[in-house]
Amino acid sequence: MLKPKLTQSILLLLSTISIILFIFFISFSIQYNKNSPNISTFTNKTITLKNSSHQFTLFIGILTRPDKYDRRHFLRLIYGTQSSSPIAKTDVKFILCNLTKPEQKILIALEIMRFDDIIILDCHENMNSGKTYTYFSTLPKILPTRYDYVMKADDDVFIRLKPLALSLHTLPRFDLYYGFVIPCPSMNPFVHYMSGMGFVLSWDLVEWISDSLVTVNRTFGPEDKLVGEWLNSGKKAKNRFSNKPAMYDYPGTNGRCSHDLIPDTIAVHRVKKWDQWLHVLSFFNVTKDIKPSKLYNL
Ligand SMILES: *[C@@H]1O[C@H](CO)[C@@H](O)[C@H](O)[C@H]1NC(C)=O
Ligand SMILES: *[C@@H]1O[C@H](CO)[C@@H](O)[C@H](O)[C@H]1NC(C)=O
Ligand SMILES: *[C@@H]1O[C@H](CO)[C@@H](O)[C@H](O)[C@H]1NC(C)=O
Ligand SMILES: *[C@@H]1O[C@H](CO)[C@@H](O)[C@H](O)[C@H]1NC(C)=O
Ligand SMILES: CC(=O)N[C@H]1CO[C@H](CO)[C@@H](O)[C@@H]1O
């Protein structure tokens, strides 16, 4: 009679110890991972992280064109193999304008059935004639939930989701405009605007773009420059953060916007050719965690 009870208590003790060890391990690994130079304090954040599965939500829309099937499949590999947890919950979707060819309606419907990562906006495909406006102004009306942050990204940029999440998680959740400030040598995020390679707005600014009279008739022109002009005209984005040198153009492609690949990278832009992609992917060891198996020998 005594034996089962004893076994039970031992089991209880063991599971309690393992839970404590688990919590200790989690908090340790969070602290350990937190070595980005842009983050100063996180004592309270650690407590929050332990308590919830993620701390904030980020929506990344990659603006691309319907016919770029190969690029989408490639980018699905790039982002599908990354995770920003437990710091953030990140959703990545491709942003298209209206389809124009019969085969697109079949092929893209298949992509949607398989991946559910495509948004088709009510616009004609374009770069500087309002697609970015349509993107930001439509999101609050069609997304099932709000996000803390919304990013607009190009399809020739490599974004590292975890470093991005780490750099955002101590920044304000409101009135925030984050990216790579133009002109290239500038370190002042309050002059001019964030490069279209990839910039982040807090949700309140996305809603403001959607509702404001400042933006509605100013949708034509260089898309990234316009966003800066809207925010300045509306006296918005009191919180601005330009993340240099962690964001940049691929080495040698764009003068002073470019520099060598560095370990503390958040985004590399103008990655267009295969040899450039391979250079980037090998530099950041993106395949190092592949699990061993009898099925392949790489
Ligand atoms: C943690 O947050 C609480 C209230 O939210 C605050 O009073 C306390 O000073 C914070 N501690 C640190 C170390 O920031
Ligand atoms: C996009 O497609 C929708 C549905 O077919 C149509 O109502 C809308 O006018 C189109 N928009 C543009 C800008 O072509
Ligand atoms: C935007 O332009 C339209 C058409 O020109 C005009 O009717 C409308 O009043 C303008 N809205 C604002 C807020 O300027
Ligand atoms: C990639 O792996 C190599 C070899 O382990 C290491 O020296 C290098 O620092 C890693 N690069 C990055 C960006 O983590
Ligand atoms: C999973 C968990 O521990 N959730 C807790 C997080 O913190 C809130 C408020 O502090 C609690 O109500 C939850 O139970």
Side-chain angles (χ1 to χ4, degrees):
M1 281 308 275
L2 260 177
K3 273 200 169 164
K5 271 200 176 157
L6 189 67
T7 319
Q8 259 183 5
S9 353
I10 290 175
L11 280 178
L12 195 68
L13 185 70
L14 280 179
S15 56
T16 313
I17 291 176
S18 57
I19 288 170
I20 290 170
L21 278 177
F22 179 69
I23 290 173
F24 176 80
F25 174 72
I26 294 278
S27 49
F28 177 79
S29 50
I30 288 163
Q31 301 212 13
Y32 182 74
N33 279 334
K34 242 184 132 300
N35 51 7
S36 159
N38 295 314
I39 283 107
S40 40
T41 66
F42 60 97
T43 331
N44 269 355
K45 305 283 184 190
T46 311
I47 294 160
T48 323
L49 282 174
K50 267 192 290 191
N51 181 282
S52 71
S53 54
H54 59 83
Q55 243 206 313
F56 64 87
T57 51
L58 167 65
F59 180 92
I60 301 181
I62 301 173
L63 273 61
T64 186
R65 283 183 282 108
D67 282 340
K68 295 175 95 171
Y69 299 98
D70 291 346
R71 179 57 62 94
R72 278 196 297 284
H73 286 307
F74 178 64
L75 291 176
R76 282 185 184 113
L77 295 178
I78 296 295
Y79 295 113
T81 52
Q82 295 190 58
S83 163
S84 60
S85 98
I87 307 128
K89 180 180 179 298
T90 303
D91 290 332
V92 179
K93 293 203 191 280
F94 298 102
I95 311 298
L96 312 177
C97 286
N98 273 0
L99 307 184
T100 52
K101 301 174 187 165
E103 80 266 15
Q104 290 170 347
K105 300 198 180 188
I106 306 279
L107 296 175
I108 289 171
L110 283 171
E111 286 184 59
I112 292 171
M113 289 164 72
R114 176 65 183 83
F115 300 109
D116 192 21
D117 61 359
I118 287 183
I119 291 180
I120 303 175
L121 300 172
D122 179 356
C123 52
H124 285 298
E125 212 45 74
N126 67 81
M127 185 156 145
N128 291 326
S129 324
K131 183 170 179 179
T132 297
Y133 173 73
T134 310
Y135 169 59
F136 284 118
S137 60
T138 308
L139 285 187
K141 296 169 187 139
I142 61 172
L143 288 179
T145 67
R146 73 185 286 286
Y147 286 77
D148 292 305
Y149 298 120
V150 175
M151 183 172 206
K152 178 261 148 181
D154 280 345
D155 64 5
D156 62 348
V157 64
F158 172 64
I159 302 169
R160 298 175 76 214
L161 298 184
K162 196 160 221 166
L164 172 66
L166 276 171
S167 78
L168 282 167
H169 103 280
T170 51
L171 295 180
R173 303 276 185 261
F174 292 95
D175 215 19
L176 178 78
Y177 183 29
Y178 167 111
F180 173 97
V181 75
I182 295 291
C184 298
S186 168
M187 295 304 274
N188 184 351
F190 291 90
V191 178
H192 301 300
Y193 59 94
M194 305 298 174
S195 157
M197 69 163 81
F199 59 86
V200 174
L201 296 172
S202 54
W203 184 259
D204 56 312
L205 292 182
V206 177
E207 287 186 318
W208 176 76
I209 289 173
S210 183
D211 298 337
S212 174
L213 298 178
V214 170
T215 55
V216 68
N217 280 346
R218 288 170 75 180
T219 62
F220 289 80
E223 50 103 15
D224 44 6
K225 188 159 181 263
L226 271 179
V227 173
E229 287 175 10
W230 297 334
L231 296 171
N232 288 343
S233 304
K235 300 203 177 356
K236 290 287 174 180
K238 296 210 174 48
N239 304 305
R240 299 191 185 198
F241 192 78
S242 173
N243 211 343
K244 296 176 182 178
M247 299 174 77
Y248 50 99
D249 285 337
Y250 184 83
T253 59
N254 195 18
R256 294 181 73 182
C257 286
S258 291
H259 58 69
D260 284 344
L261 302 182
I262 53 170
D264 288 328
T265 290
I266 286 173
V268 190
H269 181 222
R270 292 185 185 242
V271 194
K272 291 182 196 288
K273 299 180 186 142
W274 274 114
D275 61 321
Q276 297 172 336
W277 274 109
L278 291 173
H279 178 205
V280 168
L281 299 179
S282 66
F283 183 87
F284 295 108
N285 300 320
V286 299
T287 59
K288 74 173 189 311
D289 291 331
I290 189 169
K291 64 170 193 264
S293 167
K294 286 184 197 148
L295 300 180
Y296 42 75
N297 183 11
L298 292 168

